[in-house]
Each structure stands twice: as C-alpha cells, then as structure tokens.
C-alpha cells in the first residue's frame, strides 16, 4: 500500500536520557508528564504539512477521554470531546524531511496524565496504523506537574539517588545504616506497575483507579497501603519480636530491590519480615521510581497514641517498673517517609504544599485501611489537626504530651511529676542531607522549639481542634502545674558500650522549704525499640531525707554481668527513677539508651 507507515522509532535512548529515566532502561520508552519527547515515523510517501496524522494514547482496560485515560490528537490539533481530561499534544518537528517521508513528531504528555503503561497508536487518513507502548511517570522537573520540585540538587537527592541512610537507635546515641533503594533497576517498571494493579481499589473499580493515578495524593495512599500486607496483597509482613525463623529478620535487609523482587516473583505473596525502617525504605524506592520526590525520616522518642488524645499515658507499678502491656507507647525511634507534592484538596491554596508524611508501617487504620497520610508537615507544625490525612496521629508522634501514672494496689492511679512531660516526645527528627552522607535535623519543620511559648500555643490549638465532635477535652490528662518541690535528673557517667558496666548518676534537688523524706525506686528494664518491656534487669531502693535546698547524688551501677545474658534480645535499656515523699507526691525521671558495639580492629 502506498500510503502507509513503514517504521516507527521511539528514540528510547535519547528520550529516556532527556527525561531522566535512562538509568532504568533504554529498551523501552519511559517519559515524564508535561515534557516533550520525539518519535520518528518513516512513511512510504512524501508527507505534506496539510496531511493529518492521528495519535491515540490509552491506559487501563477501558480507556476513556472523560476519565483522562485516553486522548486522541493530531499534528494539527487535539480532537478531544468536551469534558476530556489529560490532553496530550504533538507537532511536526523542524528536523523532519517531509519529501522523503521522514516525519519527526514532538509529543507532549499532559502534565496531569495518569501515570502508568500506555498504548500509543499512529493512524493515517488512509486507515493504516501502527501501535507502540510507553510508560509515563510524574515529573518533578515540570512546573505544571503537582510534584514539581524547584531545586535541582534536591531532585538529584530525592528522585535520582539510589543510595541512602536510615537512622536508628535512641535520641541519646543513634547510628545510620546504608540502604540501597535501587529504584532504577529495570525490573522496577513491572514491579511497581504491578503493585498499583493489585491494590484493592483497582480490583473494585479499575476505571476509577487508573483515572485517579494522575494524582500523587492518591498514588501515595495506594503505595503506602500496599507496602504492608495487612489488608491486601501488599509487599511486607511486619513482625515485632525475636522469632523470624519462617522468614528474614528485619535487621538483615540492606535494600529494597531484593524484597520487591521476592514479592513479584512469588505472585505477590507477602515477604517476611519488615519493621518500620524496612517499610519506609521500600516505600521510598517505589515513590522515587514513579517520580515523586521522597525521603526517609526518623523520629526519635516517637509516640504511638492509640486514642488520638494527643497525650501518651505511661504507667508504673508501685515498685517503679513499667508494666509489659500499655495501649500507648513511646518508641525509641520510628521511621516513615515524606513525599513532595501539592495539596489542592486542602483549603488556603498552596499553604499545605510541600513535604507530606506517609507511613507504611501498619499501626492504625486510615479510612479503613492500614496506611497513614499524606499529612502536610506544615499542618503538623501549625497544629491543624482538623485536616486530612491522619494529622492527629502524626502530631502525637512528634509532639504529644506525656502523662505518667503510678498504679496503686487498690486499682487507683496517681499522677507523677516529671520534668519532661511536654518535651520528651519527638526528638532529633532526622533525614539524610542533600548531596552528602551527613544527618539533616528537620525537627524545626515539625514543631516549634520545645519550651517556647509558640510550642505550647500550637499544642493547645491542636488539642482544641482535635477534640471537636469528640465530646470535649480529657480532663484527667492535664499536666501538673504546681511548682515542683523536688527536681530529678539522670546523668550519664560512662559511655553506653556493650560488654562494659554502665554508670549513671541520679541527681535529686529539694526546692522546697521543708525536709523531704524520700523513698527512691530505681529500675532498669530491657526494652524493645517499640517501647515494650522485654525483661527486668535491676531494681534498687533507697531512703533519703533531703534538707531544704539540698542536692543529693545517687550513683547507679548496671554491671555487664547482670545484663549480658539478655544481649541480642532487646533493643535498649530504660532506666527510671521514681520517688515518693512523705506528703504522697510522686516524682519521676527516666532515660532510654541503646548499647554501642565496641570498635573492631582488624590487623
């Protein structure tokens, strides 16, 4: 046939390089929204500028122009029907050699096109057609894309960098582990697209799901839910304990690719096992693959508030031990991700654009599904707990007040004075710095400085907004405000190194005007990193009388011979000190620390 298309060249190598996808592959066309790419069509005839070449792109099983999953356009103009979404365009490039039938088209995907795999067909007026395929991703380089990130150094870090650091430990002594994200491994194309296709929303409404893939808010929630396997065909099963015999210990993973490969190759069966940093590392890989800028964030002293009260209730028995079971906990650290995107779904225009918290670790349900976010970091910082998604939960993680109780033998409870009730939660919030292997402390982006007037103003505002429609404020969680007559603090005397004795100092100060007869309870407990008790290590009891203005120091000694038998079965130690005076007032202080492994020298 004379009027036909002989050959199509998608220029995968040059297009992918221009779209920052050539590290994934150059064997298939992978482009980004809102950015032109070139294709060459070789005709069997001399092409005229008046000739019409019609292109059609389609994604999903039932593509529709009204859903934005289909677009038909020509070298003359788009031919979309009224109400069409995600309109593509093309034009004949000046480099074309029309007399020889060489037509170079510059094709521009819609900046709001759904991400995913597309079929691309080219049709002549005569009816002859050719069909090719391509993958479309978000574009943080495009100002019209809702994930646009202005800074090139940040784009290189949060989209292009396949290597990262994740911080673990305690706020007193933490360390980083290297993590291989591997978002540009070639098989990530099939794996990440499969992850979208097996999500429950796609199973229930495939047309609506594919159409909604234009929105990074939607994609973020889908990915967040699919990283854990709690209520879908998700990637990772979580386990918090010490028995991983039927899987892999979370501490053994060093990157995301192996986990995602196992999931994909085993017909989307969950991979065992993950904990928070593994869930976050895998989610960061998938987000960066799709082109959503993403970073892994660690929050030390991270609260888990089960009732959304913005307070954490901690309980101690009459001997000063923390019981094994408690609904609320403070984790030594918790890891989530931040994704960069616009939030047009929220009020005040662009006020909430930027970094959004998303947490794939299955803790609490969000709209019936185990996922969390996206929660704007700006909204958390300002205490806007009435906005979506899951802001009260994340606000508590970084800024909850802690209320400590002593459980009495008769079943009643007594509130404990503590110096750190308002400042304990949310410390040294950390992420890898841009362009270097150093830590970037981003605590200030989540909250005002602890102890500042604005921090209290924001906290009170958050509590008021959060209590609306919930029957009012809890009155039993109000912190003790009367002047503390006894001040307590725990001070580090030696480094916290494994295989060595640990020494601390308990400092007691009587700020009152009368003698204080004190019963002092000192306890050391082995703890998991999620704040649950693993074992009691040491209990000590003293009686002291403090004169007005007197300062007393009590040494605390934790011998290695006592805790060595537990090594490997716990993540940290909690040293707590409670004192009761002759008036019945109770005071408390505590410190959590992880043991550092001694340095290894090889000769």
């Amino acid at each position: 046939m004379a009027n036909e298309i002989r050959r199509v060249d998608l220029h995968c190598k040059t297009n992918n390089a221009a779209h920052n996808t050539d590290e994934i592959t150059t064997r298939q066309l992978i482009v980004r929204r809102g950015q032109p790419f070139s294709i060459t069509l070789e005709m069997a005839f001399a092409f005229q500028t008046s000739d019409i070449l019609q292109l059609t792109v389609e994604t999903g099983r039932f593509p529709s122009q009204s859903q934005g999953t289909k677009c038909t356009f020509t070298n003359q103009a788009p031919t979309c029907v009224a109400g069409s979404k995600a309109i593509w365009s093309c034009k004949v490039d000046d480099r074309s050699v029309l007399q020889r039938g060489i037509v170079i088209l510059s094709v521009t995907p819609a900046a709001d096109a759904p991400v995913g795999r597309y079929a691309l067909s080219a049709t002549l007026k005569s009816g002859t057609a050719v069909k090719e395929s391509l993958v479309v991703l978000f574009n943080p380089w495009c100002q019209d894309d809702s994930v646009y990130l202005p800074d090139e150094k940040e784009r290189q870090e949060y989209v292009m960098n396949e290597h990262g650091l994740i911080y673990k430990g305690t706020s007193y002594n933490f360390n980083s582990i290297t993590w291989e994200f591997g978002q540009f491994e070639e098989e990530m194309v099939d794996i990440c697209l499969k992850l979208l296709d097996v999500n429950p929303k796609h199973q229930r409404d495939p047309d609506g799901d594919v159409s909604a893939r234009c929105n990074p808010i939607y994609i973020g929630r889908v990915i967040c839910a699919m990283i854990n396997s709690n209520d879908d065909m998700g990637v990772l099963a979580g386990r918090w304990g010490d028995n991983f015999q039927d899987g892999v210990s979370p501490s053994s993973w060093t990157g995301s690719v192996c986990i995602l490969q196992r999931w994909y190759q085993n017909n989307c069966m969950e991979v065992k096992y993950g904990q928070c940093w593994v869930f976050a590392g895998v989610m960061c890989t998938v987000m960066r693959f799709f082109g959503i800028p993403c970073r892994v964030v660690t929050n030390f002293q991270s609260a888990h508030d089960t009732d959304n009260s913005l307070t954490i209730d901690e309980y101690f028995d009459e001997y000063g031990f923390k019981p094994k079971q408690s609904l609320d906990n403070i984790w030594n650290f918790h890891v989530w991700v931040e994704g960069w995107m616009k939030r047009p779904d929220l009020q005040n225009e662009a006020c909430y654009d930027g970094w959004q918290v998303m947490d794939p670790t299955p803790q609490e349900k969000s709209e019936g599904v185990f996922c969390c976010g996206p929660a704007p970091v700006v909204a958390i910082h300002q205490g806007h707990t009435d906005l979506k998604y899951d802001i009260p939960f994340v606000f508590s993680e970084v800024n909850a007040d802690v209320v400590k109780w002593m459980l009495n033998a008769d079943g009643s409870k007594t509130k404990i004075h503590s110096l750190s009730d308002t400042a304990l939660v949310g410390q040294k919030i950390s992420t890898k710095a841009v362009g270097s292997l150093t830590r970037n402390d981003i605590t200030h982006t989540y909250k005002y400085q602890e102890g500042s007037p604005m921090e209290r103003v924001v906290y009170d505002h958050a509590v008021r907004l959060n209590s609306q429609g919930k029957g009012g404020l809890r009155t039993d969680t109000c912190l003790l405000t009367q002047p503390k007559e006894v001040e307590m603090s725990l001070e580090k005397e030696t480094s916290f190194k494994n295989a060595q004795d640990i020494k601390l100092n308990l400092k007691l100060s009587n700020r009152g005007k009368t003698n204080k007869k004190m019963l002092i309870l000192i306890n050391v407990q082995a703890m998991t990193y999620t704040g649950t008790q693993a074992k009691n290590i040491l209990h000590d009891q003293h009686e002291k009388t403090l004169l007005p203005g007197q300062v007393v120091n009590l040494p605390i000694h934790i011998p290695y011979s006592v805790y060595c038998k537990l090594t490997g079965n716990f993540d940290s130690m909690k040293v707590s000190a409670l004192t009761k005076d002759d008036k019945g007032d109770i005071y408390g202080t505590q410190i959590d620390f992880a043991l550092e492994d001694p340095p290894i020298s090889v000769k």
Side-chain angles (χ1 to χ4, degrees):
M1 190 173 183
N3 294 340
E4 67 177 10
I5 303 171
R6 288 177 175 170
R7 191 173 70 90
V8 176
D9 188 345
L10 297 179
H11 301 296
C12 295
K13 187 172 182 178
T14 55
N15 281 325
N16 288 11
H19 286 248
N20 296 288
T21 62
D22 55 327
E23 287 192 43
I24 304 173
T25 184
T26 56
R27 295 191 294 180
Q28 59 177 315
L29 181 59
I30 304 176
V31 300
R32 297 189 186 275
R33 310 192 304 183
Q35 180 176 336
F37 63 92
S38 298
I39 60 173
T40 298
L41 294 88
E42 184 180 320
M43 309 296 189
F45 61 98
F47 192 83
Q48 306 294 322
T49 54
S50 59
D51 290 337
I52 295 177
L53 180 62
Q54 179 176 285
L55 300 182
T56 300
V57 289
E58 300 174 314
T59 185
R61 282 182 283 178
F62 305 103
S64 159
Q65 294 193 52
S66 63
Q67 295 265 49
T69 52
K70 177 180 179 179
C71 185
T72 298
F73 51 104
T74 73
N75 55 310
Q76 307 292 339
T79 59
C80 301
V81 298
S84 296
K85 298 179 181 178
I87 299 174
W88 296 45
S89 64
C90 74
K91 63 179 182 180
V92 177
D93 193 280
D94 293 340
R95 295 171 295 167
S96 302
V97 187
L98 301 184
Q99 289 301 314
R100 292 173 49 195
I102 306 298
V103 182
I104 301 175
L105 290 178
S106 176
V107 181
T108 304
D112 60 347
V115 298
R117 194 183 300 278
Y118 282 75
L120 167 66
S121 59
T123 308
L124 291 169
K125 189 176 182 180
S126 63
T128 63
V130 293
K131 184 170 281 190
E132 300 287 346
S133 69
L134 72 154
V135 173
V136 176
L137 303 176
F138 292 105
N139 192 352
W141 283 266
C142 174
Q143 292 189 33
D144 296 326
D145 198 305
S146 50
V147 301
Y148 172 63
L149 183 62
D151 189 282
E152 175 60 19
K153 290 181 180 179
E154 291 187 346
R155 290 193 293 255
Q156 291 299 317
E157 181 68 50
Y158 300 135
V159 180
M160 301 300 293
N161 196 350
E162 294 190 78
H163 317 287
L165 299 176
I166 300 178
Y167 293 91
K168 299 170 60 179
T170 72
S171 58
Y172 284 95
N173 53 324
F174 52 84
N175 63 296
S176 64
I177 60 170
T178 57
W179 193 266
E180 299 299 318
F181 297 113
Q183 68 268 28
F184 296 138
E185 294 293 324
E186 187 168 357
E187 56 212 311
M188 286 298 113
V189 178
D190 293 333
I191 293 173
C192 293
L193 294 181
K194 183 71 171 180
L195 186 142
L196 296 186
D197 287 342
V198 299
N199 94 81
K201 293 180 179 180
H202 185 77
Q203 307 303 312
R204 290 192 298 266
D205 179 13
D207 295 353
D209 172 75
V210 174
S211 176
R213 294 178 186 179
C214 64
N215 186 352
I217 303 168
Y218 179 85
I219 287 285
R221 281 185 68 78
V222 167
I223 295 171
C224 192
M226 286 299 298
I227 296 303
N228 70 73
S229 63
N230 280 45
D231 37 25
D232 47 40
M233 298 173 68
V235 176
L236 271 166
R239 176 166 289 182
W240 285 264
D242 54 9
N243 182 9
F244 307 108
Q245 291 183 352
D246 59 335
V248 176
S249 168
S251 298
S252 297
W253 301 113
T254 58
S256 306
V257 175
C258 182
I259 295 169
L260 290 164
Q261 286 173 332
R262 289 192 186 195
W263 174 77
Y264 183 74
Q265 293 166 2
N266 291 313
N267 198 28
C268 306
M269 293 289 291
E270 65 183 13
V271 178
K272 301 175 181 179
Y273 289 101
Q275 291 178 5
C276 66
W277 69 93
V278 186
F279 287 108
V282 175
M283 181 167 181
C284 187
T285 294
V286 179
M287 294 280 281
R288 288 186 182 182
F289 166 80
F290 279 112
I292 302 174
C294 189
R295 62 188 185 184
V296 177
V297 173
T298 300
N299 176 39
F300 293 100
Q301 294 296 105
S302 187
H304 184 171
D305 177 19
T306 55
D307 60 2
N308 268 0
S309 64
L310 309 191
T311 59
I312 299 299
D313 295 294
E314 284 198 328
Y315 297 94
F316 296 85
D317 63 22
E318 289 189 302
Y319 298 98
F321 284 114
K322 187 177 180 182
K324 285 187 177 182
Q325 298 300 324
S326 179
L327 292 177
D328 290 345
N329 275 316
I330 299 176
W331 296 23
N332 290 342
F333 69 95
H334 183 50
V335 185
W336 55 70
V337 303
E338 291 177 359
W340 180 274
M341 64 191 70
K342 293 180 180 177
R343 290 301 300 270
D345 58 319
L346 301 179
Q347 58 198 16
N348 294 337
E349 298 181 351
C351 177
Y352 301 107
D353 294 351
W355 290 117
Q356 315 284 322
V357 171
M358 286 174 280
D359 188 352
T361 300
Q363 298 181 92
E364 304 292 332
K365 287 190 174 183
S366 171
E367 296 185 348
V369 179
F370 278 104
C371 72
C372 178
V377 174
V378 170
I380 298 163
H381 185 272
Q382 297 300 327
H384 296 170
T385 51
D386 56 334
L387 302 177
K388 60 184 181 182
Y389 294 90
D390 311 304
I391 294 175
F393 184 77
V394 183
F395 184 92
S396 288
E397 287 184 302
V398 300
N399 207 18
D401 281 353
V402 180
V403 182
K404 297 177 182 176
W405 306 90
M406 175 166 282
L407 298 173
N408 303 314
D410 61 2
S412 63
K413 59 184 182 181
T414 305
K415 206 167 294 184
I416 300 172
H417 293 271
S418 174
L419 290 176
S420 57
D421 288 334
T422 64
L424 178 65
V425 167
Q427 299 182 23
K428 296 179 181 175
I429 304 175
S430 305
T431 189
K432 178 186 174 297
V434 173
S436 73
L437 297 177
T438 58
R439 184 179 73 94
N440 182 18
D441 192 311
I442 56 173
T443 309
H444 65 282
T445 67
Y446 281 85
K447 58 183 178 179
Y448 289 94
Q449 184 173 352
E450 290 288 359
S452 69
M454 276 305 298
E455 189 275 332
R456 283 294 90 188
V457 169
V458 168
Y459 179 83
D460 293 339
H461 177 63
V463 171
R464 281 195 299 273
L465 288 177
N466 190 53
S467 64
Q468 292 175 1
K470 296 183 180 180
L473 301 173
R474 282 180 61 185
T475 57
D476 67 330
T477 59
C478 297
L479 299 177
L480 295 168
T481 56
Q482 65 266 35
K484 301 179 179 70
E485 294 192 354
V486 175
E487 291 183 358
M488 302 174 61
S489 63
L490 282 166
E491 300 168 346
K492 177 179 174 182
E493 293 288 307
T494 61
S495 58
F496 300 139
K497 290 191 181 298
N498 202 352
Q500 295 182 8
D501 292 358
I502 307 297
K503 295 180 180 179
L504 301 100
N505 179 64
L506 174 62
K507 185 177 180 180
L508 296 137
S509 304
N510 183 1
R511 300 302 183 191
K513 297 180 180 179
T514 61
N515 292 352
K516 291 285 184 183
K517 187 176 181 181
M518 311 294 296
L519 173 64
I520 304 164
L521 305 172
I522 297 172
N523 293 291
V524 182
Q525 292 177 284
M527 309 292 290
T528 68
Y529 90 93
T530 58
T532 57
Q533 174 201 344
K535 192 77 173 177
N536 295 332
I537 296 176
L538 182 147
H539 172 75
D540 205 356
Q541 184 172 312
H542 304 270
E543 289 188 3
K544 293 282 184 182
T545 298
L546 273 67
L547 303 177
Q550 184 180 10
V551 176
V552 173
N553 293 288
L554 281 178
I556 300 173
H557 181 210
I558 310 170
Y560 173 64
S561 59
V562 172
Y563 74 79
C564 66
K565 299 176 183 178
L566 301 174
T567 302
N569 294 324
F570 64 95
D571 299 300
S572 65
M573 289 188 195
K574 179 185 290 291
V575 179
S576 58
L578 298 180
T579 64
K580 301 179 188 178
D581 67 15
D582 41 10
K583 291 182 180 178
D585 288 335
I586 305 173
Y587 301 85
T589 188
Q590 66 185 43
I591 185 174
D592 293 88
F593 59 88
L595 296 175
E596 303 173 39
D597 288 328
I600 297 174
S601 177
V602 179
K603 295 182 180 180

